[in-house]
Amino acid sequence: MGTESRGTHRRGSADGPKATRRAVLIGGAAAVVGGGVMAREELSWVWRKVSVGRKPRKEGELDYIPAQWVAASSANWRMADRPDDYRVDRVVIHVVQGSYAVALKVFKDPGHGAAAHYVVRKDGHVAQMIRELDVAYHAGNRGYNERSIGIEHEGFVEKPEDFTDTMYRSSARLAADICHRYGFPADREHIVGHVEVPGTDHTDPGKNWDWDRYMGFVREEYARQATARAE
């Protein structure tokens, strides 16, 4: 989610206020509100609320059963009815540039302006913070926010030791599950790093994220889940 020099993590320009990851994690919450942008977002949300038939919702309900529910601030996402209103065909991989506890803290902060659907800890524990139905402000690109699910990872991009085998495997199980449920391939076209999102100024998950290793785990888990589903 950040750059390798403690990069930024912000909403896309059409998604609301922008706040750098450095400003939030080091200097405290910092978000510059553009009145016109927020007005468009509010109008979009009101229109959707009035015109879209909402799916049944239950507070704390999980999309990924092994996860723990920890709610993000409602200021860091917007309500939707995916995949009925937006097709979901991407997973975006982030690195928080901080600890699991810090990720949860800032995603619960309404001044932060961004949050991912999931956060994965070094020991493999997963928190779900936003329903997959809804659009999380995580990718820095409105179109990608609407079509993707964001997976945040504890650690720093410049520290390869932060990316534990347990974390990779846990994240891979989650990513494979998402691919199965939404019916898109478990490959590098559909599982992308934040750095690959068009228009972003982020470089995470960074050069130390082992894509070959991670995608090997994803393919292995995808095949295992496919067999289990078939049975």
Side-chain angles (χ1 to χ4, degrees):
M1 235 168 27
T3 68
E4 292 182 4
S5 59
R6 301 293 196 281
T8 61
H9 178 61
R10 64 180 187 179
R11 305 186 197 181
S13 60
D15 270 326
K18 301 177 182 179
T20 67
R21 168 63 70 183
R22 176 179 284 276
V24 173
L25 296 191
I26 299 176
V32 179
V33 178
V37 171
M38 289 302 290
R40 288 196 300 274
E41 185 62 35
E42 286 183 14
L43 285 172
S44 173
W45 183 85
V46 170
W47 183 88
R48 303 213 68 81
K49 184 177 180 182
V50 170
S51 62
V52 177
R54 294 292 176 200
K55 295 184 178 70
R57 292 167 185 266
K58 182 179 179 181
E59 186 175 355
E61 188 172 14
L62 295 165
D63 296 295
Y64 182 63
I65 299 303
Q68 172 193 6
W69 178 258
V70 183
S73 169
S74 60
N76 297 331
W77 56 273
R78 64 179 167 87
M79 190 172 285
D81 275 286
R82 302 191 309 171
D84 289 349
D85 48 2
Y86 302 113
R87 179 183 64 172
V88 175
D89 65 359
R90 293 288 188 279
V91 171
V92 179
I93 301 297
H94 303 268
V95 173
V96 72
Q97 289 298 86
S99 69
Y100 173 86
V102 165
L104 267 55
K105 180 179 179 180
V106 297
F107 290 169
K108 291 190 287 185
D109 177 4
H112 182 48
H117 294 90
Y118 295 97
V119 182
V120 183
R121 205 163 61 193
K122 291 179 185 179
D123 66 359
H125 181 76
V126 178
Q128 181 172 1
M129 303 195 72
I130 299 168
R131 287 294 308 275
E132 291 178 11
L133 288 168
D134 298 321
V135 175
Y137 303 144
H138 68 99
N141 175 306
R142 181 167 186 159
Y144 266 68
N145 284 344
E146 291 171 345
R147 74 190 299 180
S148 69
I149 293 171
I151 305 178
E152 188 72 59
H153 297 82
E154 178 178 28
F156 293 87
V157 296
E158 64 270 24
K159 295 182 178 181
E161 64 272 19
D162 285 350
F163 308 139
T164 66
D165 188 76
T166 303
M167 174 188 280
Y168 277 131
R169 289 183 179 275
S170 176
S171 177
R173 283 192 293 273
L174 170 58
D177 184 72
I178 292 167
C179 292
H180 272 297
R181 286 189 283 108
Y182 291 96
F184 61 87
D187 59 25
R188 282 287 284 119
E189 180 182 348
H190 298 86
I191 301 175
V192 302
H194 196 181
V195 65
E196 298 169 90
V197 174
T200 187
D201 57 358
H202 298 248
T203 64
D204 62 307
K207 63 183 180 181
N208 291 312
W209 181 267
D210 191 338
W211 277 108
D212 289 339
R213 182 180 173 196
Y214 179 68
M215 291 304 300
F217 291 149
V218 171
R219 288 189 293 270
E220 177 183 305
E221 187 60 35
Y222 187 86
R224 188 195 68 78
Q225 292 180 17
T227 299
R229 289 165 186 263
E231 292 174 349

